[in-house]
Amino acid sequence: MTTFATLLYDLDTASGILTITVNRPDKLNALNAATIEDIGTAFGQAQADAKVRGILLTGSGEKAFVAGADIVELAGLDVLAARRAAERGQEIFGRIEAGAKPVIAAVNGFALGGGCELAMACHMRVASSTARFGQPEVNLGLIPGYGGTQRLAQLVGKGKAIELLLTADMVKADQALSLGLVNHVVPQAELLDFCRQLLTRILGKAPLAVGLCLDSVNAYYDQQRHGYQTEAEGFARCFASDDFKEGTTAFLEKRQAAFTGN
């Protein structure tokens, strides 16, 4: 198993829940190139590991989930390097979003810039009451580069996304909830337990069906795919699965289903 310089990787084999923690507390967990590569490697490893059933992503400490990009590193990029960095970040964050295993971002503090983009790439977001969200790139003469302009509009709507992008306003947790940017807001001390409980509920469902739900929703936002067609194909695929047979049999027999993911 790979070890990481910028992340903690902790798999609870009993539950199948993997906790990935961005671990640069002295930098408020800011993203640099090495951290983004570690995130890509960690999620690739998790998707390939049958023991991993769901993923919880958070930040080290209580101040920040990820407070943004490493500005010192960004300031040293030229135009070509900046384009490559944006494309690489988009690719890695896109793989998180496209993964078949559910990912919850446990946002424990500031999620700004690249941190907000990383949280939005996860399938769900749960925020502590002290969390703050924002895309402040225009304050630096920049725009988001890791998919933020696209996912923010998907989550909160075009008009509000444009307002937040152009003003660089920071959004408190309760406002993020009302906008649809996060799914739940809980006290800081309850954040990780709440996320584990939510993942545990999801992991009690048929794994193939869970993955196909994620794929079908993502297809709606992908210009290269047809969402309704993807849904129909996924629906049909379920009928060939052992989990469908088990799920329907368990329902008729009035017992709890024992899904295997096959």
Side-chain angles (χ1 to χ4, degrees):
M1 182 180 293
T2 306
T3 56
F4 302 97
T6 66
L7 306 177
L8 302 177
Y9 189 98
D10 182 21
L11 174 60
D12 179 354
T13 54
S15 67
I17 294 175
L18 168 66
T19 302
I20 298 175
T21 306
V22 182
N23 189 37
R24 301 183 71 211
D26 57 321
K27 302 292 185 181
L28 293 179
N29 303 322
L31 297 178
N32 58 9
T35 309
I36 290 173
E37 290 301 321
D38 276 355
I39 290 170
T41 301
F43 274 90
Q45 181 172 289
Q47 291 294 340
D49 186 348
K51 296 188 296 295
V52 176
R53 300 178 60 215
I55 302 166
L56 176 60
L57 177 65
T58 193
S60 180
E62 296 188 353
K63 291 184 177 179
F65 172 73
V66 169
D70 190 318
I71 304 303
V72 172
E73 184 177 83
L74 283 184
L77 300 180
D78 60 21
V79 171
L80 181 58
R83 176 65 180 263
R84 289 174 175 166
E87 290 175 343
R88 183 60 173 158
Q90 288 176 5
E91 176 193 353
I92 289 172
F93 288 14
R95 282 195 265 126
I96 296 172
E97 185 175 57
K101 298 176 183 181
V103 182
I104 297 178
V107 183
N108 52 308
F110 291 110
L112 305 176
C116 189
E117 292 176 290
L118 178 58
M120 290 191 294
C122 298
H123 300 129
M124 291 162 280
R125 286 148 297 284
V126 178
S128 73
S129 55
T130 58
R132 300 291 184 270
F133 299 82
Q135 299 289 166
E137 286 86 352
V138 292
N139 288 334
L140 301 174
L142 289 173
I143 69 170
Y146 303 150
T149 61
Q150 308 303 295
R151 292 191 180 95
L152 187 60
Q154 292 169 17
L155 289 167
V156 307
K158 180 180 177 181
K160 192 63 181 181
I162 288 175
E163 178 186 340
L164 293 174
L165 291 164
L166 300 191
T167 62
D169 284 349
M170 196 180 302
V171 175
K172 294 182 179 179
D174 56 350
Q175 185 183 1
L177 180 63
S178 68
L179 290 172
L181 183 56
V182 302
N183 298 70
H184 302 277
V185 175
V186 299
Q188 177 82 286
E190 300 174 15
L191 178 63
L192 294 181
D193 282 344
F194 182 94
C195 289
R196 292 189 189 101
Q197 290 171 17
L198 179 56
L199 261 183
T200 298
R201 287 175 56 202
I202 294 167
L203 297 181
K205 316 306 179 185
L208 176 64
V210 167
L212 291 172
C213 282
L214 294 173
D215 187 50
S216 297
V217 172
N218 284 333
Y220 174 81
Y221 297 100
D222 187 339
Q223 294 182 355
Q224 307 304 314
R225 304 173 70 196
H226 190 288
Y228 287 101
Q229 184 180 53
T230 301
E231 179 185 271
E233 291 169 351
F235 183 75
R237 183 178 169 189
C238 289
F239 277 75
S241 70
D242 293 338
D243 277 353
F244 171 70
K245 297 180 181 68
E246 167 62 13
T248 52
T249 300
F251 178 82
L252 294 172
E253 294 178 352
K254 295 181 172 57
R255 62 173 174 82
Q256 187 73 29
F259 295 117
T260 62
N262 299 314

